[in-house]
Amino acid sequence: MWPGKCIPLMRDRIADDFTFRFSNLMPVQAVEYSVVLPAKVDAYHAAIGFREPVENLSITVGEDPEERKVFTFRGCGFPSKTTVGMRLEIK
């Protein structure tokens, strides 16, 4: 994660969007984006740009070996000029 990306989410407890926007100039076959929270921190999540369940877009919630929550957005076959992803809000 690049420096400072999650400051609003983690420090200020402001819901944050993790999204992608695709165009004909940037064709993408598939994408996977994971956000790993610190230990003992949990969040609510919501889909952006789609309603679950959708065959080619998903958000999964799991834990890594250190028992940290991991939120993963996966997608393929994106329509041009569409923004998709997930919103996280600390519980």
Side-chain angles (χ1 to χ4, degrees), residues 49-58 74:
F50 67 102
R51 291 189 186 266
E52 294 184 281
V54 175
E55 185 176 316
N56 63 328
L57 302 169
S58 68
R74 291 181 184 89

Side-chain angles (χ1 to χ4, degrees), residues 8-82:
L9 178 68
M10 296 307 304
R11 186 186 65 197
D12 302 330
R13 303 292 201 232
I14 297 171
D16 203 354
D17 296 346
F18 299 85
T19 60
F20 297 91
R21 182 169 174 81
F22 302 98
S23 72
N24 293 332
L25 299 175
M26 187 177 74
V28 175
Q29 294 293 321
V31 68
E32 180 174 310
Y33 188 177
S34 294
V35 176
V36 181
L37 298 179
K40 299 180 183 176
V41 175
D42 199 357
Y44 300 104
H45 71 283
I48 295 175
F50 67 102
R51 291 189 186 266
E52 294 184 281
V54 175
E55 185 176 316
N56 63 328
L57 302 169
S58 68
I59 299 169
T60 57
V61 182
E63 289 187 349
D64 70 3
E66 287 103 36
E67 298 182 356
R68 299 177 298 181
K69 288 286 186 177
V70 179
F71 295 82
T72 303
F73 168 79
R74 291 181 184 89
C76 62
F78 304 100
S80 182
K81 299 181 182 175
T82 300

